[in-house]
Amino acid sequence: MGALPRAALALAALLGVSSAVLEVHVGTSSVFSVEGQQAVLPAWYTSRSQKKPYVTWLLDKEDADPFQILTYLDGVVKVEETELKPRVGFLYPVLTHNISLFINATRERDSGQYMCTVNVVDDATGTGKNVGIINLTVLVPPAAPACQLHGTPTVGANVTLSCASAKGKPPPAYRWQRTAPTLQVFFPPAQDPARGTLKLTNLSMEMSGLYVCVAENRAGSAECSVALEVHSTASTKAIIAGAVLGSLGALATIVFFACQVVGYRRKKRDGQEEVANEIKEDAVAPKTPSWARSPASDTISKTSTLSSIAREKPYGAKPPSDTASILTATGSYRGPPPRGGGRAPNLSPPAVNGAPRHRQDPVAPPGSLPPSSLARAGAVPVMVPAQSRAGSLV
């Protein structure tokens, strides 16, 4: 722009008359939109020229430099390569002088300062008159809050109810109320709208009910609830006592069954021992004959001597009652009783290794066992040759 036009503009300003006709207007300086909805930034321009304008929309964020998002040049609309590309455009045809901008499915990061600039070739404008600025704020409704109960709800105790939403722009405010059995609204200092807490002191049975927390901001609201059931101290003690008694009963049952198992095993062991004792009492150990304890050579000599005597004289025809002899349980020989006062024959014991062996009179032990007991103990009866009246073997 040359020195002459500048002087003319300055003179016109002094006279209160403006020769500029190109100017950009905005419907509002701030636009609010809820996340997910459409946002419209209203803007238009005025000009006497019939030529096509050059329009540019830019976005200026706090964490980035301004960048173009949409342009109109020589009758062609161009959407720049940004995250807004599939969601942004002119709301009306530009030649109608309406250059409003729309953004579909807004997101929280779409928030920022939007600037619109218009230039026409043969039209002049004042400084800054061809620029429009609109601030966009995308609001986020509160996410579903989480309600919690802190403390033990017993009569006379204190508890705190908390409510918190993980998402929301602007930060939501919290409001507590009881819906059952009767509606009741709480106010500070019992509840903290910013932190979402509700303090209930000196609980009573009548304070039981359903407590609802509502989190809300300009974008919307969400709620959660807590069922508060106040218990008496007696009921709490009863619950604890019941738990203790139940544990003791289970322990007693285990001990009872353990005692039963031990008693059964003890009875079984005692029964086996009694059977073994009865068998031992009925059985009588066999007694070893005296000559059985002699060396093997002694046994052989006795057998040889008896055999030689048996060969010298044949058996007689005397009755068995007069001539029969038996071997006692101790293995000693006992002949028939002497008749007429005669003495029993004296049989010398066989010699052992050529030396005479002294005769040992066999003595029957007192209380000799009957043949039936000897047979049961394993003794074998042996028949001895008969003896005549003279005492000689026949």
Side-chain angles (χ1 to χ4, degrees):
M1 185 178 296
L4 183 59
R6 289 180 179 177
L9 289 174
L11 180 61
L14 292 174
L15 297 175
V17 177
S18 176
S19 61
V21 294
L22 179 59
E23 189 174 358
V24 176
H25 308 274
V26 295
T28 179
S29 61
S30 299
V31 174
F32 295 91
S33 175
V34 177
E35 187 178 42
Q37 299 180 1
Q38 184 188 61
V40 175
L41 281 61
W44 65 95
Y45 74 96
T46 57
S47 175
R48 293 179 181 179
S49 176
Q50 299 299 320
K51 293 184 178 181
K52 295 178 181 178
Y54 173 47
V55 182
T56 303
W57 278 97
L58 297 90
L59 174 58
D60 185 10
K61 289 187 175 182
E62 294 181 357
D63 56 351
D65 295 331
F67 56 91
Q68 290 185 355
I69 59 174
L70 183 64
T71 61
Y72 177 83
L73 180 61
D74 295 334
V76 178
V77 176
K78 181 182 179 181
V79 181
E80 303 295 336
E81 294 293 333
T82 64
E83 62 178 353
L84 291 169
K85 182 176 181 179
R87 302 181 289 119
V88 69
F90 287 104
L91 188 61
Y92 303 102
V94 176
L95 294 180
T96 61
H97 291 197
N98 192 325
I99 56 176
S100 298
L101 180 73
F102 73 85
I103 303 175
N104 291 328
T106 55
R107 302 170 185 174
E108 183 180 3
R109 58 179 175 269
D110 296 340
S111 300
Q113 188 178 72
Y114 290 78
M115 297 182 296
C116 177
T117 302
V118 179
N119 289 294
V120 180
V121 175
D122 60 352
D123 207 349
T125 183
T127 304
K129 294 293 183 178
N130 63 334
V131 178
I133 300 175
I134 301 177
N135 293 306
L136 174 65
T137 302
V138 179
L139 305 177
V140 180
C147 291
Q148 293 181 344
L149 170 64
H150 306 275
T152 304
T154 56
V155 174
N158 302 331
V159 297
T160 300
L161 307 181
S162 65
C163 177
S165 181
K167 187 178 181 181
K169 183 181 178 180
Y174 301 96
R175 175 171 47 88
W176 280 96
Q177 63 181 13
R178 186 177 68 175
T179 60
T182 57
L183 179 62
Q184 182 179 359
V185 180
F186 301 93
F187 302 95
Q191 74 165 339
D192 187 340
R195 299 177 59 185
T197 58
L198 173 64
K199 295 182 179 180
L200 302 176
T201 59
N202 195 18
L203 292 177
S204 62
M205 300 294 291
E206 291 76 15
M207 297 176 69
S208 300
L210 183 65
Y211 289 75
V212 179
C213 172
V214 179
E216 56 186 351
N217 60 11
R218 295 177 59 183
S221 63
E223 63 181 34
C224 63
S225 60
V226 171
L228 178 64
E229 184 177 357
V230 181
H231 302 281
S232 63
T233 307
S235 61
T236 304
K237 292 181 178 179
I239 293 174
I240 297 175
V244 172
L245 291 177
S247 302
L248 293 177
L251 180 61
T253 303
I254 295 173
V255 172
F256 173 76
F257 281 106
C259 293
Q260 291 295 323
V261 172
V262 172
Y264 171 76
R265 292 183 177 179
R266 185 176 297 173
K267 286 182 179 180
K268 185 176 181 181
R269 185 176 66 251
D270 294 343
Q272 293 176 351
E273 292 179 355
E274 290 179 0
V275 171
N277 292 335
E278 291 178 358
I279 294 175
K280 291 180 181 179
E281 291 177 358
D282 292 342
V284 178
K287 296 184 179 180
T288 306
S290 59
W291 57 267
R293 291 192 297 270
S294 301
S297 58
D298 188 13
T299 304
I300 295 173
S301 299
K302 288 182 178 181
T303 306
S304 301
T305 303
L306 292 176
S307 299
S308 61
I309 295 174
R311 285 196 300 268
E312 290 177 358
K313 291 184 179 183
Y315 292 110
K318 295 295 181 177
S321 60
D322 297 335
T323 60
S325 300
I326 62 171
L327 184 67
T328 63
T330 58
S332 302
Y333 172 75
R334 176 179 296 180
R339 293 186 180 181
R343 295 179 61 185
N346 184 11
L347 296 178
S348 300
V352 178
N353 295 329
R357 185 174 181 180
H358 294 286
R359 179 178 176 272
Q360 296 180 357
D361 294 335
V363 179
S368 300
L369 297 175
S372 61
S373 298
L374 292 174
R376 186 169 54 182
V380 179
V382 178
M383 297 299 298
V384 180
Q387 185 179 18
S388 63
R389 292 184 178 180
S392 61
L393 296 175
V394 295

